[in-house]
PDB file of all heavy atoms in Angstrom:
ATOM      1  N   ASP Y  57     109.711  39.638  56.968  1.00 96.00           N
ATOM      2  CA  ASP Y  57     109.047  39.191  58.200  1.00 96.00           C
ATOM      3  C   ASP Y  57     109.851  38.085  58.882  1.00 96.00           C
ATOM      4  O   ASP Y  57     110.087  38.111  60.097  1.00 96.00           O
ATOM      5  CB  ASP Y  57     107.644  38.652  57.880  1.00 96.00           C
ATOM      6  CG  ASP Y  57     106.576  39.735  57.904  1.00 96.00           C
ATOM      7  OD1 ASP Y  57     106.811  40.778  58.522  1.00 96.00           O
ATOM      8  OD2 ASP Y  57     105.516  39.515  57.285  1.00 96.00           O
ATOM      9  N   GLY Y  58     110.239  37.086  58.091  1.00 97.00           N
ATOM     10  CA  GLY Y  58     110.977  35.960  58.662  1.00 97.00           C
ATOM     11  C   GLY Y  58     112.322  36.374  59.210  1.00 97.00           C
ATOM     12  O   GLY Y  58     112.750  35.900  60.274  1.00 97.00           O
ATOM     13  N   PHE Y  59     113.015  37.263  58.503  1.00 97.00           N
ATOM     14  CA  PHE Y  59     114.315  37.744  58.976  1.00 97.00           C
ATOM     15  C   PHE Y  59     114.168  38.488  60.297  1.00 97.00           C
ATOM     16  O   PHE Y  59     114.964  38.290  61.237  1.00 97.00           O
ATOM     17  CB  PHE Y  59     114.929  38.657  57.917  1.00 97.00           C
ATOM     18  CG  PHE Y  59     116.168  39.376  58.379  1.00 97.00           C
ATOM     19  CD1 PHE Y  59     117.384  38.714  58.472  1.00 97.00           C
ATOM     20  CD2 PHE Y  59     116.120  40.727  58.714  1.00 97.00           C
ATOM     21  CE1 PHE Y  59     118.526  39.377  58.908  1.00 97.00           C
ATOM     22  CE2 PHE Y  59     117.243  41.394  59.137  1.00 97.00           C
ATOM     23  CZ  PHE Y  59     118.449  40.723  59.233  1.00 97.00           C
ATOM     24  N   ILE Y  60     113.167  39.345  60.399  1.00 96.00           N
ATOM     25  CA  ILE Y  60     112.955  40.090  61.640  1.00 96.00           C
ATOM     26  C   ILE Y  60     112.632  39.143  62.788  1.00 96.00           C
ATOM     27  O   ILE Y  60     113.167  39.270  63.894  1.00 96.00           O
ATOM     28  CB  ILE Y  60     111.838  41.134  61.444  1.00 96.00           C
ATOM     29  CG1 ILE Y  60     112.342  42.232  60.501  1.00 96.00           C
ATOM     30  CG2 ILE Y  60     111.401  41.733  62.775  1.00 96.00           C
ATOM     31  CD1 ILE Y  60     111.256  43.155  60.021  1.00 96.00           C
ATOM     32  N   ALA Y  61     111.783  38.157  62.543  1.00 95.00           N
ATOM     33  CA  ALA Y  61     111.455  37.180  63.581  1.00 95.00           C
ATOM     34  C   ALA Y  61     112.687  36.410  64.031  1.00 95.00           C
ATOM     35  O   ALA Y  61     112.861  36.097  65.215  1.00 95.00           O
ATOM     36  CB  ALA Y  61     110.387  36.216  63.077  1.00 95.00           C
ATOM     37  N   ALA Y  62     113.572  36.102  63.085  1.00 96.00           N
ATOM     38  CA  ALA Y  62     114.764  35.312  63.402  1.00 96.00           C
ATOM     39  C   ALA Y  62     115.781  36.073  64.231  1.00 96.00           C
ATOM     40  O   ALA Y  62     116.725  35.477  64.761  1.00 96.00           O
ATOM     41  CB  ALA Y  62     115.413  34.824  62.102  1.00 96.00           C
ATOM     42  N   GLY Y  63     115.607  37.390  64.378  1.00 94.00           N
ATOM     43  CA  GLY Y  63     116.496  38.152  65.243  1.00 94.00           C
ATOM     44  C   GLY Y  63     116.431  37.730  66.697  1.00 94.00           C
ATOM     45  O   GLY Y  63     117.322  38.048  67.488  1.00 94.00           O
ATOM     46  N   ALA Y  64     115.372  36.995  67.081  1.00 91.00           N
ATOM     47  CA  ALA Y  64     115.258  36.492  68.446  1.00 91.00           C
ATOM     48  C   ALA Y  64     116.116  35.262  68.684  1.00 91.00           C
ATOM     49  O   ALA Y  64     116.260  34.814  69.822  1.00 91.00           O
ATOM     50  CB  ALA Y  64     113.803  36.163  68.760  1.00 91.00           C
ATOM     51  N   ALA Y  65     116.670  34.675  67.620  1.00 94.00           N
ATOM     52  CA  ALA Y  65     117.422  33.419  67.734  1.00 94.00           C
ATOM     53  C   ALA Y  65     118.904  33.682  67.507  1.00 94.00           C
ATOM     54  O   ALA Y  65     119.382  33.708  66.375  1.00 94.00           O
ATOM     55  CB  ALA Y  65     116.897  32.408  66.724  1.00 94.00           C
ATOM     56  N   ALA Y  66     119.640  33.899  68.592  1.00 94.00           N
ATOM     57  CA  ALA Y  66     121.064  34.230  68.482  1.00 94.00           C
ATOM     58  C   ALA Y  66     121.957  32.998  68.383  1.00 94.00           C
ATOM     59  O   ALA Y  66     123.158  33.130  68.120  1.00 94.00           O
ATOM     60  CB  ALA Y  66     121.489  35.067  69.691  1.00 94.00           C
ATOM     61  N   GLN Y  67     121.410  31.799  68.579  1.00 93.00           N
ATOM     62  CA  GLN Y  67     122.239  30.605  68.601  1.00 93.00           C
ATOM     63  C   GLN Y  67     122.930  30.391  67.251  1.00 93.00           C
ATOM     64  O   GLN Y  67     122.418  30.769  66.203  1.00 93.00           O
ATOM     65  CB  GLN Y  67     121.432  29.358  69.014  1.00 93.00           C
ATOM     66  CG  GLN Y  67     120.199  29.083  68.179  1.00 93.00           C
ATOM     67  CD  GLN Y  67     118.960  29.702  68.755  1.00 93.00           C
ATOM     68  OE1 GLN Y  67     118.979  30.844  69.200  1.00 93.00           O
ATOM     69  NE2 GLN Y  67     117.859  28.937  68.754  1.00 93.00           N
ATOM     70  N   ASP Y  68     124.117  29.794  67.321  1.00 93.00           N
ATOM     71  CA  ASP Y  68     124.920  29.511  66.117  1.00 93.00           C
ATOM     72  C   ASP Y  68     125.156  30.779  65.295  1.00 93.00           C
ATOM     73  O   ASP Y  68     125.091  30.765  64.066  1.00 93.00           O
ATOM     74  CB  ASP Y  68     124.244  28.450  65.237  1.00 93.00           C
ATOM     75  CG  ASP Y  68     124.093  27.119  65.948  1.00 93.00           C
ATOM     76  OD1 ASP Y  68     124.950  26.810  66.793  1.00 93.00           O
ATOM     77  OD2 ASP Y  68     123.115  26.417  65.662  1.00 93.00           O
ATOM     78  N   ASP Y  69     125.439  31.879  66.001  1.00 94.00           N
ATOM     79  CA  ASP Y  69     125.747  33.155  65.345  1.00 94.00           C
ATOM     80  C   ASP Y  69     124.629  33.563  64.394  1.00 94.00           C
ATOM     81  O   ASP Y  69     124.867  33.940  63.255  1.00 94.00           O
ATOM     82  CB  ASP Y  69     127.087  33.075  64.609  1.00 94.00           C
ATOM     83  CG  ASP Y  69     127.599  34.441  64.174  1.00 94.00           C
ATOM     84  OD1 ASP Y  69     127.171  35.448  64.780  1.00 94.00           O
ATOM     85  OD2 ASP Y  69     128.407  34.485  63.238  1.00 94.00           O
ATOM     86  N   TYR Y  70     123.390  33.486  64.894  1.00 96.00           N
ATOM     87  CA  TYR Y  70     122.211  33.907  64.126  1.00 96.00           C
ATOM     88  C   TYR Y  70     122.090  33.128  62.811  1.00 96.00           C
ATOM     89  O   TYR Y  70     121.823  33.682  61.756  1.00 96.00           O
ATOM     90  CB  TYR Y  70     122.251  35.416  63.853  1.00 96.00           C
ATOM     91  CG  TYR Y  70     122.122  36.254  65.110  1.00 96.00           C
ATOM     92  CD1 TYR Y  70     123.250  36.652  65.826  1.00 96.00           C
ATOM     93  CD2 TYR Y  70     120.881  36.631  65.595  1.00 96.00           C
ATOM     94  CE1 TYR Y  70     123.142  37.417  66.982  1.00 96.00           C
ATOM     95  CE2 TYR Y  70     120.755  37.394  66.754  1.00 96.00           C
ATOM     96  CZ  TYR Y  70     121.898  37.779  67.444  1.00 96.00           C
ATOM     97  OH  TYR Y  70     121.779  38.524  68.594  1.00 96.00           O
ATOM     98  N   ARG Y  71     122.257  31.822  62.917  1.00 96.00           N
ATOM     99  CA  ARG Y  71     122.229  30.965  61.729  1.00 96.00           C
ATOM    100  C   ARG Y  71     120.909  31.092  60.974  1.00 96.00           C
ATOM    101  O   ARG Y  71     120.892  31.178  59.737  1.00 96.00           O
ATOM    102  CB  ARG Y  71     122.462  29.505  62.146  1.00 96.00           C
ATOM    103  CG  ARG Y  71     122.309  28.494  61.000  1.00 96.00           C
ATOM    104  CD  ARG Y  71     122.507  27.068  61.509  1.00 96.00           C
ATOM    105  NE  ARG Y  71     121.591  26.743  62.587  1.00 96.00           N
ATOM    106  CZ  ARG Y  71     120.334  26.358  62.428  1.00 96.00           C
ATOM    107  NH1 ARG Y  71     119.814  26.281  61.215  1.00 96.00           N
ATOM    108  NH2 ARG Y  71     119.572  26.048  63.466  1.00 96.00           N
ATOM    109  N   VAL Y  72     119.771  31.097  61.688  1.00 97.00           N
ATOM    110  CA  VAL Y  72     118.479  31.165  61.016  1.00 97.00           C
ATOM    111  C   VAL Y  72     118.314  32.510  60.321  1.00 97.00           C
ATOM    112  O   VAL Y  72     117.875  32.589  59.168  1.00 97.00           O
ATOM    113  CB  VAL Y  72     117.324  30.921  62.001  1.00 97.00           C
ATOM    114  CG1 VAL Y  72     115.977  31.089  61.304  1.00 97.00           C
ATOM    115  CG2 VAL Y  72     117.428  29.525  62.614  1.00 97.00           C
ATOM    116  N   ALA Y  73     118.660  33.601  60.983  1.00 97.00           N
ATOM    117  CA  ALA Y  73     118.535  34.925  60.369  1.00 97.00           C
ATOM    118  C   ALA Y  73     119.389  35.019  59.111  1.00 97.00           C
ATOM    119  O   ALA Y  73     118.971  35.583  58.091  1.00 97.00           O
ATOM    120  CB  ALA Y  73     118.916  36.007  61.363  1.00 97.00           C
ATOM    121  N   ARG Y  74     120.597  34.445  59.146  1.00 98.00           N
ATOM    122  CA  ARG Y  74     121.486  34.518  57.982  1.00 98.00           C
ATOM    123  C   ARG Y  74     120.926  33.724  56.792  1.00 98.00           C
ATOM    124  O   ARG Y  74     121.272  34.002  55.641  1.00 98.00           O
ATOM    125  CB  ARG Y  74     122.878  34.008  58.352  1.00 98.00           C
ATOM    126  CG  ARG Y  74     123.633  34.922  59.311  1.00 98.00           C
ATOM    127  CD  ARG Y  74     125.038  34.405  59.593  1.00 98.00           C
ATOM    128  NE  ARG Y  74     125.624  35.089  60.740  1.00 98.00           N
ATOM    129  CZ  ARG Y  74     126.274  36.259  60.672  1.00 98.00           C
ATOM    130  NH1 ARG Y  74     126.423  36.853  59.501  1.00 98.00           N
ATOM    131  NH2 ARG Y  74     126.775  36.809  61.747  1.00 98.00           N
ATOM    132  N   SER Y  75     120.053  32.754  57.071  1.00 98.00           N
ATOM    133  CA  SER Y  75     119.505  31.964  55.966  1.00 98.00           C
ATOM    134  C   SER Y  75     118.567  32.776  55.081  1.00 98.00           C
ATOM    135  O   SER Y  75     118.221  32.348  53.974  1.00 98.00           O
ATOM    136  CB  SER Y  75     118.782  30.728  56.517  1.00 98.00           C
ATOM    137  OG  SER Y  75     117.593  31.089  57.212  1.00 98.00           O
TER     138      SER Y  75
END
Side-chain angles (χ1 to χ4, degrees):
D57 271 339
F59 171 76
I60 291 169
Q67 55 267 43
D68 298 329
D69 193 22
Y70 294 91
R71 174 182 57 82
V72 176
R74 291 183 194 274
S75 69

